[in-house]
């Protein structure tokens, strides 16, 4: 355990070495958020008004709830996105660098999990201020939930991190059999961006019942949509517990599958290069 | 002189195509990725227009024209420049930029135009198809002058985007890790993805004004799209878009040369 904590510490130091790059990227990351908010403002302004003068809603979301949702999926993705993980693993396999994990008393998957954990902590710590300001500016769109919802939300985020990690790790481990996973990752990233609910709440796809039924059983909604819905208290009672259990089952399922895939992959591994 | 560069560009483009065709599978996957992205973009906007009648006074057909224009513009920039600029910081870090500087040809041309990413070429075509479909739905009648103005403004928009990309690339020498440029550019181009009219409100209006007049990235797609589908285009706006393109391209060249001054050929 101590050695993985050391890895966490070293990775944290490394992450903060490129400060200018880090802060500039963080600043730029707010641009899509700003334009998305403005786009939704324009969408609500153009939407048909209710006859009784009630506030305009789109698939059950008022303008405030939509803004809140779009802010919350940013938090979800802060936990569940794993840029470069799959391609990094695949490169290590292809270049023979995987040997470093095999020759040392260290497990690749646990090492990478610690490493990613450090990146997430560094990212969350350094973006806490700009995100804090953003959430403060939009404080009116939120109704603060009760302590149990906070707990469920926190749990859903941790599980989102695990699902995101093991899902991408599985794709990287496919590098034992595929020469190159980069192009495949592009497809997966675009697909995930859409089906995880990062672009809009999945209720908007209501007119495609087969698609929504498929998304219900797949793990992608837990990467962005589900945690946001938990915070907005649109998942409560039994529905919330069942949702968290399914998310937990996906996290465990992907962990087991990932370890099995790695185990089988190592038998194929010839350690060329490196 | 110009003819020499044109001939050289065609040779580089041909060489790039041969390189792409050597890995046909990868080439086809890259095209598929672009198609997937377009599909999602269209599905997203189609779904949105099921819920609303207009976005910032742009009706569905006008808005889809805008999307086509953005997609074609993005495809053009990615095809001609993005991959090249993305490699610049790596050339500096590794010292391989020496090989570019030693050649008897303009460094900016060679750095930013060396490779043509042919997998993005279909985006230009698909963007044109979406624009044509939108115009057909509007009931547009062909007007040579309007198309001529559109093409000039589209070219000036591309020049403007190239200038910003070059500035961002040059800045990467001082500020960024080499892998960041692609993401930076994607984030920056968010500002050319939507009509400028969405910038409404006490803080959004000054922000929109800033990115329209001070760092005029929003001109890239807004001005050419407006000339085709919006009822009125102010002549000053067209002139301003062209002038802005000239200024930004000139500034980007100056900044690029300043970045080269900092190159110490350390790793070669």
């Amino acid at each position: 355990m101590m050695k993985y904590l050391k890895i966490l510490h070293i990775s944290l130091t490394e992450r903060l070495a490129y400060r200018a790059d880090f802060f500039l990227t963080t600043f730029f990351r707010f641009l899509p958020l700003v334009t998305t908010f403005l786009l939704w403002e324009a969408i609500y302004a153009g939407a048909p008004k209710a006859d009784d003068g009630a506030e305009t809603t789109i698939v059950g979301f008022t303008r405030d709830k939509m803004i809140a949702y779009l802010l919350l999926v940013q938090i979800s993705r802060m936990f569940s996105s794993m840029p470069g993980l799959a391609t990094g693993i695949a490169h290590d396999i292809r270049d023979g660098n995987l040997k470093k994990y095999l020759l040392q008393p260290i497990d690749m998957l646990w090492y990478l999990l610690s490493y990613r954990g450090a990146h997430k902590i560094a990212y969350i710590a350094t973006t806490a201020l700009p995100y804090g300001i953003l959430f403060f500016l939009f404080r009116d769109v939120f109704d603060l939930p009760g302590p149990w919802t906070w707990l469920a939300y926190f749990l859903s985020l941790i599980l989102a991190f695990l699902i995101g990690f093991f899902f991408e790790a599985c794709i990287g481990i496919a590098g034992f059999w595929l020469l190159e996973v980069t192009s495949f990752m592009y497809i997966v990233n675009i697909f995930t961006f859409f089906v995880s609910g990062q672009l809009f709440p999945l209720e908007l796809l209501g007119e495609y019942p087969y698609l929504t039924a498929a998304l219900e059983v797949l793990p992608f909604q837990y990467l962005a949509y589900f945690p946001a819905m938990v915070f907005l208290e649109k998942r409560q009672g039994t529905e919330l517990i069942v949702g968290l259990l399914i998310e937990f089952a996906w996290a465990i399922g992907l962990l087991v599958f990932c370890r099995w895939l790695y185990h089988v992959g190592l038998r194929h591994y010839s350690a060329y290069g490196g | 002189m110009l003819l020499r560069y044109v001939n050289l560009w065609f040779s580089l483009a041909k060489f790039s195509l041969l390189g792409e065709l050597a890995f046909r599978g990868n080439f086809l996957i890259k095209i598929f990725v672009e198609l997937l992205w377009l599909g999602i973009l269209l599905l997203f906007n189609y779904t949105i227009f099921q819920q609303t009648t207009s976005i910032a006074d742009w009706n569905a057909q006008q808005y889809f024209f805008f999307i086509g224009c953005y997609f074609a513009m993005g495809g053009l920039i990615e095809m001609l420049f993005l991959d090249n600029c993305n490699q610049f910081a790596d050339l500096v870090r590794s010292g391989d930029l020496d090989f570019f500087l030693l050649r008897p040809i303009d460094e900016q041309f060679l750095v930013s135009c060396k490779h043509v990413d042919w997998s993005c070429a279909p985006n230009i075509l698909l963007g044109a198809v979406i624009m044509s479909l939108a115009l057909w739905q509007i009931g547009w009648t062909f007007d040579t002058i309007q198309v001529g103005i559109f093409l000039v403004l589209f070219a000036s928009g591309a020049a403007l985007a190239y200038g910003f990309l070059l500035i961002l690339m040059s800045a990467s020498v001082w500020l960024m890790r080499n892998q960041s440029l692609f993401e930076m550019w994607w984030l920056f181009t968010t500002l050319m993805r939507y009509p400028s009219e969405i910038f409404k409100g006490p803080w959004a209006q000054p922000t929109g004004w800033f990115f329209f007049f001070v760092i005029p990235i929003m001109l890239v797609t807004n001005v050419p799209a407006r000339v085709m589908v919006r009822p009125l285009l102010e002549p000053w706006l067209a002139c301003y878009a062209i002038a802005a393109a000239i200024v930004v391209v000139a500034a980007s060249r100056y900044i690029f040369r300043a970045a080269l001054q900092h190159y110490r050929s350390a790793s070669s």
Side-chain angles (χ1 to χ4, degrees), chain B residues 148-159:
Chain B
I149 296 172
F150 169 76
L151 290 174
V152 169
L153 291 174
F154 190 85
S156 81

Side-chain angles (χ1 to χ4, degrees), chain A residues 150-209:
Chain A
W150 273 105
L151 182 67
Y153 179 58
F154 187 67
L155 264 175
S156 70
L157 287 176
I158 298 294
L159 291 171
F161 168 72
L162 293 173
I163 290 176
F165 177 84
F166 288 111
F167 175 68
E168 283 233 6
C170 284
I171 296 171
I173 290 169
F176 280 117
W177 296 274
L178 305 170
L179 262 180
E180 180 58 76
V181 298
T182 314
S183 305
F184 185 56
M185 268 317 295
Y186 281 130
I187 297 173
V188 170
N189 282 340
I190 291 175
F191 182 72
T192 309
F193 180 67
F194 186 64
V195 298
S196 66
Q198 208 178 335
L199 205 53
F200 52 57
L202 297 176
E203 280 83 353
L204 269 169
L205 296 171
E207 64 175 287
Y208 311 105

Side-chain angles (χ1 to χ4, degrees), chain A residues 215-273:
Chain A
L215 293 181
E216 278 289 315
V217 294
L218 291 171
F220 304 109
Q221 62 160 318
Y222 298 104
L223 299 174
Y225 171 81
F226 182 73
M229 296 301 270
V230 170
F231 191 91
L232 292 173
E233 297 189 305
K234 283 181 179 279
R235 295 286 182 276
Q236 286 182 312
T238 315
E239 204 184 4
L240 172 65
I241 293 167
V242 170
L244 282 173
L245 284 174
I246 297 174
E247 191 179 9
F248 180 72
W250 269 115
I252 297 295
L254 283 166
L255 184 156
V256 172
F257 181 66
C258 192
R259 291 223 65 90
W260 174 78
L261 208 60
Y262 183 55
H263 177 72
V264 176
L266 280 180
R267 293 184 184 180
H268 277 260
Y269 185 56
S270 309
Y272 293 123

Side-chain angles (χ1 to χ4, degrees), chain A residues 136-157:
Chain A
F136 179 75
L137 289 173
F138 286 95
R139 62 192 179 282
D140 294 340
V141 303
F142 291 100
D143 299 318
L144 281 185
W148 288 110
T149 307
W150 273 105
L151 182 67
Y153 179 58
F154 187 67
L155 264 175
S156 70
L157 287 176

Side-chain angles (χ1 to χ4, degrees), chain B residues 31-95:
Chain B
I31 291 175
F32 178 71
V33 168
E34 298 296 337
L35 283 174
L36 190 65
W37 178 235
L38 177 65
I40 287 174
L41 201 64
L42 292 177
L43 183 62
F44 170 68
N45 286 289
Y46 174 76
T47 311
I48 293 304
F49 273 104
Q50 300 294 97
Q51 309 291 336
T52 188
T53 49
S54 67
I55 295 177
D57 297 330
W58 291 64
N59 65 32
Q61 291 80 23
Q62 291 171 334
Y63 199 82
F64 274 96
F65 183 89
F66 186 94
I67 292 169
C69 187
Y70 161 72
F71 203 72
M73 182 69 78
L76 185 70
I77 299 298
E78 282 182 40
M79 176 186 162
L80 298 179
F81 310 118
L82 189 60
D83 204 26
N84 295 306
C85 293
N86 208 23
Q87 288 170 12
F88 180 68
D90 208 34
L91 290 176
V92 173
R93 188 186 54 78
S94 63

